[in-house]
Amino acid sequence: MSADYDLYVPGSSLLHRLDPRVKLLLVLETVIWLFLFSHIATALTALLITHVLILGAGIPGRHLRRVWRLMLPLTLLIPILWWIFQPGVGPAVLTLGPIRLTWDALLQGTMVALRLDAMAFIMFLWLFTTDQATMVRGLAALGLPYTWSLTLSLALRYIPTIAELYQQVVDAQRARGLDLDTGSFWRRLRAHEPILVAVIISALRTSQSLAWSMEARGLGAPGIRRTQFRQLHFNRLDWLITATLLILLAGSLLIYRWG
Amino acid sequence: MPVLRGVDLRVDRGEFVALMGRTGAGKTTLCLSFNGLVPQATGGVIRGRVLVQGRDTRRFPPASFARDVGMVFQDPESQLFQLTVEDEIAFGLENLGVPPDEIDRRIDWALSLVGMEGYRRRSPRRLSGGQMQRIAIAAALATRPALLVLDEPTTHLDPRGKSEVFHSLRHLRQILDCAVVMATQDVEWIVSETHRVAMLLEGRLAFVGGEGDGLDDLREAHWLYEYGIPQVNRIVQVLLPSSIGLSFASIPKVAEALRPARWHPPERGFLPANSPPDGPSVVKVEGLDFVYPNGVRALSGLSLDIKEGEYVALIGPNGAGKSTLARVIMGLLSPTQGRVLVCGQDTRSTPVSQLARLVGYAFQNPDHQIFSPTVREEIAFGPRNVGCTDAEVREIVDAMLARFHLEPLADIPPSILGYGLRRKVAVAAVAAVRPRVLILDEPTGGLDRVSANELLDFVDELHQQGTTIILITHDMTTVAERAHRCIVLVDGRLLFDDTPRQVFDRPDILKAASLMPPPVTRLAQALDAPPEISPILTAEEFLQAWAGGPDDER
């Protein structure tokens, strides 16, 4: 009944244990590389490495397939649009009606698509190996104000709840003979009114008792400086990887500038 | 209209006070006043005062009482809002500025109080109801409050979850000396644990009493019987009228007072409570398997034949597949394997809007269906959907309003009514379609015994008019007194399918489904009722078989 909204795949691999901020740096740096060296070889290498890392972290292959399925439409659409609108110059390798395909365009279109895929995979690498609580803590440690990170964790916590609630209400109203499937578009849209009203009333009820519960547990107690229980700690490995990533980044920038 | 009137109550450290009363008697309001949420967050006017550790709750914000008062609410889902259990418990401590290493120790300590060590990194959302409430208790206790307030914490739980929570409370009471105030309907449990019972009757504290074991000295008042242990209260009323307090005592105590046993079985034994009708089948389940898209197998190899006019109780622990089965019958879920026929129509090929004319389904939470601006329109929604004419709709709605005594509320938005009334409106709205089969999912959850019986009497009426009833419930008293067939599901499989008398005669089945026989059955067992009349299912049967009972004309 409950769909899964948490992409996190539990595990204890190196990537799982790494500080979320270090992983975020890895994501950012990979994106920078992909744009600094915009070549099909970079994109392919990044794809290969992310796949190895994800599988190496013990994430089952079906999660990778899920990402590919998600990315497939874009992966196909981008090169085609590229070939149509950026045909490039030079001799045509292939002519399909109005489309004149040059070698250059062929490579560029493919590169742009693969680059996007690589970016998606490095992002998913972060999402697969970082649980939501750590993610929120990571963002808080990077300076996100407490109310923002509380709001973010509430959103992450309650999205599945609201989705379940919505399904319950749909079921309850259909059981009372509400027909959501026939008639014109407008009729069907109007048929959702009883569902939305009931969902909103229920959600308001939940949020009211949620607010009471937070207040009862001292949220906003006057004259007290809030502490934070889980502070993220960089261990030696985190430092080592951060340093390596930063050196690599500096090196890459140097190569890009003068190489 | 005042919710509470002239309430005087003093709770001392180490004391355990049970707060009882009907749905809507003001229990929640009183609970919320202990840290100033009433009136500061809820609005409203308060006269008199509430002092917690000497501080007036109106003079300080509710958050400032977090150190003194821990609060546990009814709905587990809306009070656990963090992504991990440890964050949940840390939340209150962080708000109070407790240093991190101390928080770490307190998390372990609080989890050990409720017996949930090892759950620190789990997501609260993925725990069972009983576990969620235990975490809520741990979170409330982590700040070491002087007072723990629990507002009907077991209402939404199945029997297993209930006993988990009660055991945790018992355990922590042995360790902590904080005062506990718990609003509850669970008489059977509280009598063995509490020091005092405080009874709210329409906002007045009608009764506070019972020191230690002395719950017997309850003042004479007839309504007290209604709140005693269901079924057993009736027996006390008839056989031991001078010791009214015993209707609140534990079953062994009542048994002791009744000894020596004076069994005098009726010559022909008990009539079978209700002989199953032999009508045409209305719901036929054939080799049903159901697997959710995420791979969870909810039902396996289920075959059932429910005849027209039956009253079926569908029982089993949470997660056994009861609600899933109801949804498959309603056509909301399509079988993975096998099929379901409702009045001969295959649910796979019949639209739900069509099945809704045959099957009514009152969901567990009334708020999942209530949306109309008035009670009248709420009830009219179903009949209109299935194509009744305006005149018919008006007639049905008027009949329902009258039946449920809802006329004075007909033009009020149902969403602002109290829980008990919302529940009534929801059931009335489903019954208004006049379905041939009525499925009720925990219709009495969160209701006091009196309101529950009102609702169940209405269901009985529908049943007598020929409606087939499928009742999903955890309340074995209801099963014993009203159903004639019991379907026990465990882990999506059919474990047992027979009369209530057969089920309550099978300790093995009850154990597998984590169920307990109804109170009167246990009382009879404690008094060694002879096998030819076992198990006894109702108070009336008990009295019939007891020499010197009112029906004993021999």
Side-chain angles (χ1 to χ4, degrees):
Chain A
M1 197 181 317
S2 58
D4 220 334
Y5 295 83
D6 188 358
L7 295 164
Y8 175 63
V9 183
S12 57
S13 72
L14 187 91
L15 274 169
H16 281 92
R17 278 174 289 142
L18 220 50
D19 188 287
R21 290 165 292 180
V22 178
K23 282 185 272 189
L24 204 55
L25 179 66
L26 176 69
V27 173
L28 271 173
E29 199 162 325
T30 311
V31 173
I32 292 173
W33 279 328
L34 285 166
F35 280 92
L36 280 186
F37 310 103
S38 51
H39 193 277
I40 197 160
T42 322
L44 280 172
T45 316
L47 268 177
L48 183 72
I49 293 175
T50 48
H51 276 65
V52 169
L53 284 176
I54 290 175
L55 288 173
I59 314 285
R62 65 191 152 88
H63 292 277
L64 286 175
R65 282 197 292 280
R66 243 168 72 192
V67 180
W68 273 116
R69 232 186 342 262
L70 185 76
M71 296 306 293
L72 193 66
L74 277 178
T75 310
L76 294 177
L77 203 64
I78 287 173
I80 292 171
L81 290 175
W82 191 276
W83 295 333
I84 295 173
F85 294 108
Q86 298 276 333
V89 285
V93 187
L94 197 73
T95 316
L96 281 171
I99 302 175
R100 236 182 97 259
L101 210 53
T102 62
W103 185 244
D104 198 33
L106 197 68
L107 279 182
Q108 273 295 318
T110 315
M111 189 278 290
V112 172
L114 290 178
R115 184 165 68 191
L116 195 71
D117 291 335
M119 276 159 43
F121 272 97
I122 190 75
M123 195 63 209
F124 275 104
L125 177 102
W126 192 58
L127 294 172
F128 284 154
T129 59
T130 316
D131 68 84
Q132 292 175 338
T134 312
M135 209 180 285
V136 172
R137 276 191 211 112
L139 293 174
L142 287 169
L144 196 73
Y146 176 69
T147 44
W148 289 33
S149 56
L150 178 64
T151 310
L152 179 64
S153 52
L154 285 179
L156 289 170
R157 160 71 176 82
Y158 282 102
I159 286 169
T161 306
I162 298 286
E164 252 163 58
L165 169 66
Y166 181 82
Q167 190 56 50
Q168 292 266 353
V169 172
V170 167
D171 285 352
Q173 304 297 36
R174 287 178 75 205
R176 291 167 78 195
L178 179 67
D179 185 359
L180 294 172
D181 307 317
T182 56
S184 68
F185 173 74
W186 288 112
R187 212 201 69 77
R188 275 182 289 163
L189 197 68
R190 270 197 62 83
H192 276 80
E193 187 193 315
I195 293 168
L196 287 180
V197 175
V199 168
I200 290 167
I201 294 175
S202 288
L204 285 177
R205 250 181 238 290
T206 304
S207 65
Q208 184 182 51
S209 58
L210 180 65
W212 288 347
S213 155
M214 290 203 268
E215 213 172 343
R217 273 152 73 187
L219 182 62
I224 293 173
R225 204 189 151 85
R226 201 172 189 282
T227 49
Q228 210 170 9
F229 160 56
R230 271 266 167 219
Q231 274 142 351
L232 295 167
H233 290 291
F234 258 48
N235 58 28
R236 204 181 302 162
L237 189 71
D238 291 316
W239 283 117
L240 193 74
I241 292 180
T242 307
T244 315
L245 283 171
L246 287 176
I247 291 167
L248 280 172
L249 182 64
S252 314
L253 286 170
L254 284 176
I255 293 171
Y256 178 73
R257 185 74 181 79
W258 287 291
Chain B
M1 217 182 76
V3 180
L4 293 174
R5 280 180 268 192
V7 172
D8 287 306
L9 182 67
R10 180 196 158 100
V11 182
D12 291 317
R13 208 166 239 288
E15 217 182 359
F16 193 144
V17 178
L19 194 57
M20 299 194 63
R22 291 193 60 172
T23 323
K27 300 190 295 297
T28 297
T29 308
L30 188 56
C31 283
L32 293 183
S33 74
F34 292 146
N35 65 357
L37 283 170
V38 165
Q40 292 190 48
T42 57
V45 186
I46 192 169
R47 245 174 280 139
R49 56 182 190 164
V50 179
L51 297 178
V52 175
Q53 303 275 77
R55 285 202 304 152
D56 190 326
T57 56
R58 275 181 304 170
R59 310 247 322 261
F60 303 91
S64 72
F65 286 94
R67 207 183 291 281
D68 304 313
V69 183
M71 220 169 246
V72 176
F73 298 83
Q74 204 174 65
D75 177 18
E77 183 74 18
S78 61
Q79 59 185 323
L80 300 186
F81 46 86
Q82 294 282 357
L83 297 165
T84 64
V85 165
E86 61 176 9
D87 287 334
E88 199 65 64
I89 297 172
F91 179 81
L93 299 164
E94 291 174 327
N95 289 332
L96 296 177
V98 177
D101 48 339
E102 173 67 12
I103 293 183
D104 193 47
R105 278 195 295 276
R106 296 264 194 106
I107 293 172
D108 283 333
W109 172 76
L111 285 176
S112 74
L113 283 178
V114 295
M116 289 197 59
E117 305 92 335
Y119 282 78
R120 281 183 71 141
R121 306 306 289 269
R122 298 278 291 274
S123 162
R125 188 163 70 80
R126 289 163 201 267
L127 301 177
S128 72
Q131 290 173 326
M132 282 173 114
Q133 284 304 52
R134 282 151 75 197
I135 296 300
I137 293 171
L141 287 173
T143 58
R144 302 212 176 117
L147 171 65
L148 176 66
V149 181
L150 306 112
D151 184 11
E152 302 212 28
T154 57
T155 305
H156 295 300
L157 306 181
D158 66 352
R160 187 183 294 169
K162 263 185 197 173
S163 88
E164 270 176 43
V165 169
F166 287 144
H167 278 106
S168 295
L169 282 174
R170 179 176 300 160
H171 173 67
L172 64 90
R173 293 258 313 130
Q174 291 160 354
I175 302 169
L176 303 178
D177 73 332
C178 76
V180 180
V181 174
M182 177 162 87
T184 182
Q185 308 278 359
D186 250 286
V187 204
E188 240 199 292
W189 185 80
I190 56 168
V191 286
S192 53
E193 304 295 323
T194 49
H195 296 98
R196 287 193 295 163
V197 174
M199 186 83 70
L200 273 173
L201 192 68
E202 287 167 11
R204 280 180 209 284
L205 210 45
F207 169 81
V208 184
E211 248 72 53
D213 285 333
L215 279 169
D216 313 60
D217 67 358
L218 297 181
R219 260 172 290 161
E220 189 121 30
H222 266 290
W223 52 265
L224 275 178
Y225 284 121
E226 290 177 351
Y227 293 92
I229 303 174
Q231 301 182 321
V232 174
N233 55 358
R234 168 92 181 116
I235 288 161
V236 170
Q237 194 178 13
V238 176
L239 297 180
L240 302 160
S242 55
S243 39
I244 179 174
L246 275 176
S247 56
F248 278 85
S250 62
I251 286 176
K253 271 194 189 156
V254 177
E256 200 179 309
L258 285 171
R259 260 182 214 119
R262 286 183 292 154
W263 292 114
H264 195 290
E267 271 150 43
R268 277 168 292 142
F270 299 123
L271 293 173
N274 282 300
S275 47
D278 200 26
S281 71
V282 279
V283 175
K284 200 163 185 157
V285 177
E286 298 173 349
L288 174 66
D289 280 6
F290 184 81
V291 182
Y292 280 104
N294 63 6
V296 173
R297 173 171 283 269
L299 296 170
S300 317
L302 205 60
S303 292
L304 291 168
D305 188 0
I306 296 174
K307 305 266 194 244
E308 176 125 55
E310 276 198 285
Y311 193 134
V312 178
L314 192 54
I315 59 180
N318 280 354
K322 304 186 299 292
S323 295
T324 304
L325 176 60
R327 280 175 164 75
V328 175
I329 294 173
M330 190 71 236
L332 296 166
L333 297 172
S334 194
T336 309
Q337 200 64 239
R339 62 174 189 167
V340 175
L341 301 176
V342 174
C343 303
Q345 301 193 44
D346 193 325
T347 60
R348 290 173 303 184
S349 51
T350 316
V352 179
S353 51
Q354 202 70 43
L355 286 169
R357 291 158 205 257
L358 303 170
V359 189
Y361 183 0
F363 277 55
Q364 195 169 358
N365 186 340
D367 296 326
H368 289 161
Q369 64 174 76
I370 284 178
F371 75 99
S372 299
T374 66
V375 169
R376 191 184 296 279
E377 282 175 57
E378 187 67 45
I379 298 175
F381 179 72
R384 212 169 271 145
N385 278 335
V386 299
C388 294
T389 65
D390 284 351
E392 285 169 335
V393 170
R394 222 169 302 128
E395 189 189 321
I396 295 173
V397 172
D398 286 340
M400 282 296 162
L401 288 171
R403 177 60 188 80
F404 280 96
H405 311 298
L406 289 168
E407 290 115 327
L409 306 171
D411 297 311
I412 286 180
S415 55
I416 66 164
L417 298 174
Y419 184 79
L421 287 169
R422 298 209 297 282
R423 188 110 238 180
K424 265 192 195 171
V425 172
V427 171
V430 170
V433 179
R434 299 196 172 151
R436 287 174 67 184
V437 182
L438 181 60
I439 306 175
L440 298 139
D441 198 340
E442 282 288 334
T444 57
L447 295 185
D448 59 86
R449 200 74 221 163
V450 182
S451 312
N453 280 331
E454 271 172 34
L455 199 64
L456 291 167
D457 287 345
F458 170 68
V459 174
D460 280 357
E461 244 172 65
L462 290 176
H463 175 241
Q464 274 148 25
Q465 288 158 19
T467 312
T468 308
I469 307 291
I470 301 176
L471 177 73
I472 299 176
T473 186
H474 293 309
D475 181 21
M476 293 308 118
T477 308
T478 305
V479 174
E481 290 179 351
R482 304 186 188 251
H484 16 75
R485 178 169 168 194
C486 250
I487 294 174
V488 186
L489 289 186
V490 173
D491 294 330
R493 288 171 196 283
L494 182 68
L495 187 68
F496 201 72
D497 179 1
D498 210 323
T499 61
R501 208 177 296 283
Q502 295 300 325
V503 172
F504 293 122
D505 208 17
R506 288 286 297 273
D508 54 327
I509 297 288
L510 293 171
K511 188 155 181 279
S514 23
L515 298 169
M516 266 219 279
V520 78
T521 312
R522 282 178 281 140
L523 179 65
Q525 280 162 1
L527 287 163
D528 304 309
E532 66 267 25
I533 51 163
S534 294
I536 283 179
L537 295 186
T538 65
E540 268 49 53
E541 285 180 358
F542 186 104
L543 293 171
Q544 260 179 52
W546 191 261
D551 301 335
D552 193 29
E553 286 152 16
R554 287 157 289 179

